[in-house]
Amino acid sequence: MANSFSARSRAIEPFHVMALLSRANQLQAEGHDVIHLEIGEPDFTTAEPVIKAGQAALAEGATRYTTARGLPALREAIAGFYAERYGVRIDPERIMITPGGSGALLLTSALLVDPGKHWLLADPGYPCNRHFLRLVEGAAQLVPVGPETRYQLTPELVERHWTDDSVGALVASPANPTGTVLHRDELAALSQTLNRRGGHLVVDEIYHGLTYGLDAASVLEVDDTAFVLNSFSKYFGMTGWRLGWLVAPDEAVPELEKLAQNLYISASTVAQHAALACFTPEANEIFESRRAEFARRRDFLLPALRALGFNIEVEPEGAFYLYADMSAFGGDAYAFCQHFIETEHVAFTPGLDFGHYRAGKHVRFAYTQSLPRLEEAVTRIARGLKTWQS
């Protein structure tokens, strides 16, 4: 029967980490103490003001569809957020509320990519980006990037890899899996390059807010025509609520609305009402305290892993990941991850999930566990390295 499934379905790769996660969960069910550093989900529950707002919405019967664009009040709140945080004025009519950041990526891919056309993407990068392009019969032109460009696309790389089939570039700031940030001048330079080429600039800003020692610039500060993907999952801690948003140029909104009406009708009504509480002072205080906690975790785990022999050349400025070169220990990254699940019950992600460029020599650690758990993980990894190399 599998041979009768679509070519696009067969071409989209699974998350390789899911097999490791399944094994980790099996070990946990058997009574082992597993430390999960593999999944990009904060360990914090949704903030109490947001939960209360969701409960109140349910009690008031807010369970019917919204429009495809989303609640006007939420779009206005997001516009106010851009004005306050970035000094950018965005018409709320340009904002689409979506089912997670994935919904925003789906809409943008469907809008901008014809069959056979492609976007330039950094390799390594978040795998769903290229898979969504395949879903709409487009393609990802993966551009190998390394520490020399802080794992980000540059104008020079765009020029070098641009072809007649290129229609744009998708960049992430902060990026998954590397945590690197594109600064304001770098976003402006990318924008200028793509404008000269007649291409679209799409920026994944899903990890905005989770930056350390700086506040990330939004591409909308330098390019009002860019497409911006964002989410309530990471900084706002609403992963399971499945809510995100897209900011698009005025002329794109009617087409995006039409696509949304057909693809998913609307985002979760209850989640939208709950998300209104994200923009209250009470909730913001919670989010900022969590950002400080992530900074403490990064500041512990980064030097600890380096001391064990992992090569992390670029210090991440955002998100909650460390992308580490494990070449010094020899072997393949996937087998390396399997070894630590089986022997030390520490789970982290092989680079294979993030692309092709040197993927077999890299692993990603998510510092989404408490400091005591991270300390225990480092102790176990140190012990596991001895048996790996023996």
Side-chain angles (χ1 to χ4, degrees), residues 82 88 90 94 205 218-228 247:
Y82 277 97
V88 173
I90 302 295
R94 293 175 53 194
E205 297 185 353
S218 172
V219 69
L220 296 172
E221 297 175 41
V222 298
D223 185 352
D224 198 48
T225 67
F227 290 77
V228 175
V247 183

Side-chain angles (χ1 to χ4, degrees), residues 259-301:
L259 289 168
Q261 289 166 345
N262 283 276
L263 290 171
Y264 54 78
I265 301 178
S266 65
S268 162
T269 300
V270 172
Q272 291 186 64
H273 281 281
L276 285 167
C278 289
F279 303 104
T280 62
E282 181 184 7
N284 185 69
E285 184 176 345
I286 295 170
F287 302 146
E288 286 299 303
S289 69
R290 292 177 176 181
R291 173 174 26 182
E293 175 60 19
F294 278 124
R296 285 189 286 272
R297 296 176 183 184
R298 181 201 64 161
D299 292 345
F300 163 74
L301 191 58

Side-chain angles (χ1 to χ4, degrees), residues 91-279:
D91 185 343
E93 293 301 309
R94 293 175 53 194
I95 299 170
M96 298 282 300
I97 307 300
T98 59
S102 296
L105 180 58
L106 174 61
L107 290 182
T108 311
S109 302
L111 179 74
L112 300 180
V113 184
D114 280 322
K117 300 299 183 180
H118 64 241
W119 285 345
L120 274 62
L121 275 67
D123 179 1
Y126 181 56
C128 288
N129 294 339
R130 65 181 188 270
H131 295 158
F132 268 112
L133 294 174
R134 179 63 186 89
L135 185 68
V136 298
E137 302 298 337
Q141 177 69 33
L142 296 182
V143 178
V145 293
E148 65 281 356
T149 64
R150 295 173 25 259
Y151 298 99
Q152 293 282 1
L153 293 184
T154 65
E156 294 75 21
L157 288 172
V158 170
E159 292 285 4
R160 189 186 314 161
H161 291 270
W162 193 267
T163 73
D164 291 342
D165 290 326
S166 303
V167 294
L170 169 61
V171 296
S173 176
N176 176 9
T178 61
T180 61
V181 171
L182 284 164
H183 300 159
R184 198 174 191 274
D185 59 334
E186 294 169 320
L187 289 166
L190 281 169
S191 169
Q192 292 163 9
T193 299
L194 286 159
N195 284 338
R196 284 197 305 271
R197 286 287 187 175
H200 298 284
L201 177 56
V202 183
V203 184
D204 170 349
E205 297 185 353
I206 286 170
Y207 290 93
H208 267 225
L210 292 176
T211 52
Y212 316 111
L214 79 164
D215 289 320
S218 172
V219 69
L220 296 172
E221 297 175 41
V222 298
D223 185 352
D224 198 48
T225 67
F227 290 77
V228 175
L229 318 175
N230 213 318
S231 171
F232 286 94
S233 289
K234 308 303 183 181
Y235 177 70
F236 298 107
M238 295 181 67
T239 50
W241 298 78
R242 305 311 303 133
L243 198 66
W245 75 83
L246 167 65
V247 183
D250 287 315
E251 61 271 20
V253 172
E255 291 297 309
L256 290 166
E257 184 172 22
K258 178 180 66 178
L259 289 168
Q261 289 166 345
N262 283 276
L263 290 171
Y264 54 78
I265 301 178
S266 65
S268 162
T269 300
V270 172
Q272 291 186 64
H273 281 281
L276 285 167
C278 289
F279 303 104

Side-chain angles (χ1 to χ4, degrees), residues 38-112:
E38 77 278 38
I39 300 300
E41 182 172 28
D43 54 324
F44 303 111
T45 58
T46 299
E48 189 63 25
V50 180
I51 293 174
K52 287 181 177 178
Q55 291 170 332
L58 282 173
E60 293 165 7
T63 58
R64 301 177 69 84
Y65 294 131
T66 69
T67 66
R69 293 192 190 189
L71 282 177
L74 183 56
R75 290 188 282 115
E76 289 167 7
I78 292 170
F81 175 73
Y82 277 97
E84 180 180 345
R85 176 156 292 193
Y86 304 107
V88 173
R89 295 198 173 275
I90 302 295
D91 185 343
E93 293 301 309
R94 293 175 53 194
I95 299 170
M96 298 282 300
I97 307 300
T98 59
S102 296
L105 180 58
L106 174 61
L107 290 182
T108 311
S109 302
L111 179 74
L112 300 180

